[in-house]
Every structure is written in C-alpha cells, then in structure tokens.
Amino acid sequence: MARLLIVHHTPSPSMQTLLEAVLEGARNDEIEGVEVATRPALGATVSDVLAADAVIVGTTANIGYMAGAVKHFFDTVYYPCLTDTSGLPYALYVHGNNDTTGAVRAVEAIAKGMSWERHRPPVSVIGEVGRDDREACWELGAVCALAALERSGEG
C-alpha cells in the first residue's frame, strides 16, 4: 500500500480548515490503495519520512519564515533522509496574514536540498480562507495521494 505523509503545524482555525481540506482530498473514495498518515511537525520522525511515498507539508508563515515546528521537522529528518528520499514527491500549503513568500522559499530550498521533487505549486493563502483555497487544498491532497500511489508502484 502506498503511503502519503502529511506533516503540519496547525495552530489556528485557518490552518485547521486547510488541513481538513487536504485530508478530504487525500482520502477521496475514488483513490484506493493509499494510506494517509498525519503527523504534527513536532512529532514527525525519520521513520515517517522513510516510509512515505509522497509528503505534504503544511505551515504557517511566521515573521517571513516557515513555522518553527516545521523547521524543527526538517532539522530532524534532513541528514538521516537525505540519500534515501531523493526524488520524493512533495507539496506545500501555507497560510499567512500578510505574506507567505519567505515561508514558501524556505521550505522549497530545504526540499530542493533533499532532492525532493515538487509535485504541485504551493497553495498559498493570505488572510481569511475562502472556498477557492479549500478547493485548492482538496486538490493538493488528491493529486499527492495519486503521486504516492504512482511512486509506490501500486498505481
């Protein structure tokens, strides 16, 4: 069975809404053979990443950067996963009140350093979460579940 790992920092109602949309897309009834594992960024482990066929990262944009919890996740898994996860499909969703540019840039730089492959452009939400934002996150979850299926060889 393929495995999609969702690593998230969800401290606000807006982030909870985005996470729920990602999960709904990833768990779509039309996609079979994918286990969806959800881990808070401070609880995600090297083993979680090594077992994943695709990863979605969800973070807030804090003072022009990703959430500290997400940075801790990357600090924890970077070297232990560096060689064994090359080519891993990943995607990103970010919420900020003013700007998400720095958070997106930081996550993408680390993922590039790990040789992960961006599967979809980031979903970047500024301010109140709207219907289009929820739909974009739903789609992100669904297409990343399919990417996990494809990478695992099950699809």
Side-chain angles (χ1 to χ4, degrees):
M1 180 168 276
R3 183 177 174 117
L4 172 62
L5 174 63
I6 301 172
V7 176
H8 64 96
H9 179 62
T10 307
S12 67
S14 294
M15 285 301 291
Q16 185 65 39
T17 298
L18 298 176
L19 173 61
E20 288 171 4
V22 168
L23 288 169
E24 287 174 19
R27 293 176 175 154
N28 179 350
D29 290 340
E30 294 179 20
I31 302 171
E32 296 179 3
V34 179
E35 173 191 358
V36 178
T38 307
R39 301 286 185 272
L42 292 175
T45 66
V46 169
S47 297
D48 290 326
V49 176
L50 292 175
D53 296 299
V55 175
I56 297 175
V57 177
T59 186
T60 52
N62 296 342
I63 315 169
Y65 199 66
M66 73 182 91
V70 174
K71 176 65 167 70
H72 174 79
F73 160 71
F74 280 121
D75 286 345
T76 301
V77 305
Y78 190 88
Y79 285 111
C81 295
L82 188 58
T83 56
D84 293 334
T85 61
S86 181
L88 186 70
Y90 85 95
L92 170 66
Y93 66 96
V94 182
H95 179 267
N97 290 326
N98 301 319
D99 184 26
T100 59
T101 307
V104 169
R105 184 175 43 249
V107 170
E108 288 189 333
I110 293 170
K112 182 177 181 179
M114 295 181 76
S115 298
W116 290 4
E117 297 292 329
R118 188 175 83 174
H119 189 66
R120 300 286 289 192
V123 173
S124 179
V125 180
I126 296 173
E128 187 174 331
V129 176
R131 182 176 50 99
D132 290 347
D133 302 319
R134 289 189 303 275
E135 288 176 4
C137 281
W138 187 97
E139 183 178 321
L140 189 77
V143 297
C144 287
L146 292 172
L149 199 58
E150 184 177 310
R151 182 172 167 99
S152 74
E154 302 283 328

